[in-house]
Amino acid sequence: MTENPTGPSHPATGLARVRTLPPWSLLAAGTLVGGLLGGVYGLTEQPEYTATSYVVAVPTEKSDPATAIGFAQAYGRVATQLAVLGDAQVWAGVPVRTLKSSVRTETSPDAPMVAVTATSTRPDLAADMANAVSRALTRHANDTKGATRVELQTFARATKPSEPSSASPTLTGLVGASAGGLLGGLALLARPRRSGEAAGRPASVPGPAMAADTHGQL
């Protein structure tokens, strides 16, 4: 009596089944997995809020607008230095390292304006940090206005943001789906071809009648 043991399937069988799947399945699987991962990331990540305050450099009677623009550029660079952040931490209620990682500044080559932007998971803290750095920067700048002949004034205070500035779960899901589809396309291009696809179509062999006719003409 012969027994046919039913053991585990050979790994090559599973690989063969994968190769028989239609090509578009890689694109669909990559898009689906990427979209799910992106959506989960958007749901689990804490939303971030951004608030921006503005200060403007004003020339005194003994200065000119061009000088004010130049000092605005300089103030934008020193706003995130320790001397300014050390005073700002008192009004913001957070340590200097938090201000250092959460606050950035921007300036314009055409206007004597400095934008101080803060980001936080709390909307009220984002506004407080932006206003605190602007206040500290204004204080330091005005301590030397007699020598610089430029005064720094508050142009607009930061307000508590009502909506997060970080990406929504829908957006992260779309980005993940796009990335997954791209990886699926790359996997499709790199997949091993079937033996029939690699060898191509077999060469045609003339039939017996065609061979006999050819022999008679020789």
Side-chain angles (χ1 to χ4, degrees), residues 21-29 188:
L21 293 175
W24 56 263
S25 62
L26 292 174
L27 292 175
L188 179 61

Side-chain angles (χ1 to χ4, degrees), residues 23 26-31 178-190:
L26 292 174
L27 292 175
T31 303
S178 300
L182 178 59
L183 292 178
L186 295 176
L188 179 61
L189 294 176

